[in-house]
Amino acid sequence: MGKFDNHFQKAIEALHSEGRYRVFANLERRGAAFPLSWLYEGNTRREVVIWCSNDYLGMGKHPSVVQAMMDAAERIGVGAGGTRNISGTHLPIIELEGELADLHGKESALVFTSGYVSNIAGISTISKVLPDCIIFSDELNHASMIDGMRNSGAPKKIFRHNDVAHLKNLLSEVPLGRPKIIAFESVYSMDGDISPISDFCDLADEYNALTYIDEVHAVGMYGPRGGGIAEQEGLLDRIDVIEGTLAKAFGTLGGYITGSAALIDAVRSYAPSFIFTTALPRPVAAAATASIRHLKISTSEREGQQQAVAKLKKLLVMAGLPLMSSNTHIIPIFVGDAVQCKKASDRLLEKHNIYIQPINYPTVPKGTERLRITPTPHHTEHMILELCDALVETWETLSLPCDGVKHVVPMHQHVSLQPFPASGG
Ligand SMILES: *Cc1c(COP(=O)(O)O)cnc(C)c1O
């Protein structure tokens, strides 16, 4: 027994009683065979198909990305050696930042150890530097953006999800001369919907606001060069700050912001979460650069993903499963109850060798629990058919609902960054 263990146990018990205690599957990717993986249970292992990876394009196993990481490790070693200020700045990071600035058509880019950190550093520093700044935030923004806003201490106004009229209303209440930030995402990761970017940019022009977009679930996958939804819609130059991750479609690790040289230099100079933490390891930076370069030119991964997505969506609709409306590669299937959601996930794994993690509160609002499926270009036609059959069997056996009632509670209310209940993603 450790000190205060009764408190820790009580906190865990609360999660069990609500059916949302999280269990991580012990998986080992089968290298080039991904999405096939080994699932380890005690002393045994069996083969499962992963259907919920955020390595959306399978770039984590791409030969040129793997090779870049191995070459860099052999040539220059693994660790960064310090913060960027203390001997942690090295050529692979400089190259990576150049690649990212180019990807988004911006003057500069700054790399962080994760996308989460890049949002904390970006949002909090920009809003602290701007005098008397006020932030306008979509109610479904990611926990890392909310963390950045809390960190900044700047006042914020929350607009209804993707609601242009509501945002306009809120903007019009604040004096024109006062600096403003509109913070939103392009693709929302749990619903798979896309924000009205150009409308938000119009409002930003009208009301003197800076636009800050999180393209984490779009970079690598949308736009002719993988520059995200803003690139796809020809809006790169209308967005002031584009934030992204290297850990999802690019298959590695790290996060970044891109923007004007002055803005990026200010964040570099003032953000504690940039200054006081060790830089990204050199092999990781080299692998990320290889991945971005590949996806700027190659379109087969994006096309393969879109084909797999279209096939699966069609089959699920035909089977009468409660697909939540999504116009992207993210396919959420509505369950609406934490215990049932966990049961469905368990059954898919036990009986069908299919791994889809249950998505429960606080990642999504209570009552909107779901399975979230993310097809990659490496899921075969056969795997897609098997998945559909397995889902139908699971829905029938557990008598799960076939109509997706969507009731949305603002993320700002239910993502608690206070110690209890724990926040997760
Ligand atoms: C995953 C995620 C992040 C954080 O990115 P990491 O690189 O995983 O830290 C930021 N924003 C959104 C919307 C995300 O889903």
Side-chain angles (χ1 to χ4, degrees), residues 114 192 321 375 407:
S114 77
L321 288 159
H407 168 69

Side-chain angles (χ1 to χ4, degrees), residues 191-409:
D191 295 280
D193 57 337
I194 296 177
S195 57
I197 302 175
S198 88
D199 292 342
F200 287 167
C201 292
D202 291 345
L203 288 181
D205 291 345
E206 191 179 343
Y207 291 100
N208 187 29
L210 180 152
T211 43
Y212 183 106
I213 194 169
D214 176 320
E215 287 248 46
V216 160
H217 292 278
V219 290
M221 291 173 283
Y222 297 91
R225 298 199 310 158
I229 302 288
E231 189 201 14
Q232 178 168 283
E233 297 186 357
L235 298 169
L236 285 176
D237 60 341
R238 299 199 63 201
I239 304 280
D240 297 294
V241 184
I242 298 177
E243 183 271 345
T245 184
L246 305 169
K248 288 167 184 168
F250 292 127
T252 60
L253 183 73
Y256 63 88
I257 57 171
T258 62
S260 74
L263 181 147
I264 296 297
D265 201 18
V267 175
R268 184 186 72 88
S269 308
Y270 282 99
S273 53
F274 174 80
I275 296 171
F276 298 109
T277 191
T278 297
L280 213 58
R282 289 165 277 225
V284 174
T289 300
S291 184
I292 296 162
R293 280 184 185 157
H294 178 86
L295 289 175
K296 275 182 182 171
I297 295 162
S298 171
T299 57
S300 64
E301 290 82 6
R302 287 189 275 281
E303 283 159 14
Q305 181 194 38
Q306 289 301 328
Q307 279 160 16
V309 167
K311 264 183 217 155
L312 180 60
K313 277 185 180 169
K314 192 171 155 205
L315 284 176
L316 295 176
V317 169
M318 275 161 54
L321 288 159
L323 207 64
M324 293 167 75
S325 67
S326 148
N327 35 13
T328 61
H329 61 284
I330 293 163
I331 307 182
I333 305 186
F334 183 85
V335 180
D337 176 85
V339 176
Q340 292 287 71
C341 197
K342 174 84 172 66
K343 271 192 198 162
S345 168
D346 287 348
R347 185 171 185 87
L348 288 167
L349 193 59
E350 300 313 321
K351 193 167 161 43
H352 302 284
N353 299 317
I354 283 170
Y355 181 56
I356 307 174
Q357 180 145 347
I359 305 284
N360 288 343
Y361 174 87
T363 309
V364 296
K366 285 180 183 171
T368 73
E369 290 80 0
R370 66 199 71 172
L371 297 179
R372 174 183 179 272
I373 303 173
T374 52
T376 72
H378 305 286
H379 286 95
T380 62
E381 178 111 33
H382 180 67
M383 288 176 185
I384 292 172
L385 290 170
E386 276 190 350
L387 169 65
C388 196
D389 288 346
L391 286 167
V392 168
E393 192 276 342
T394 301
W395 248 249
E396 280 171 0
T397 308
L398 299 178
S399 305
L400 296 175
C402 282
D403 49 339
V405 194
K406 214 178 122 191
H407 168 69
V408 174
V409 177

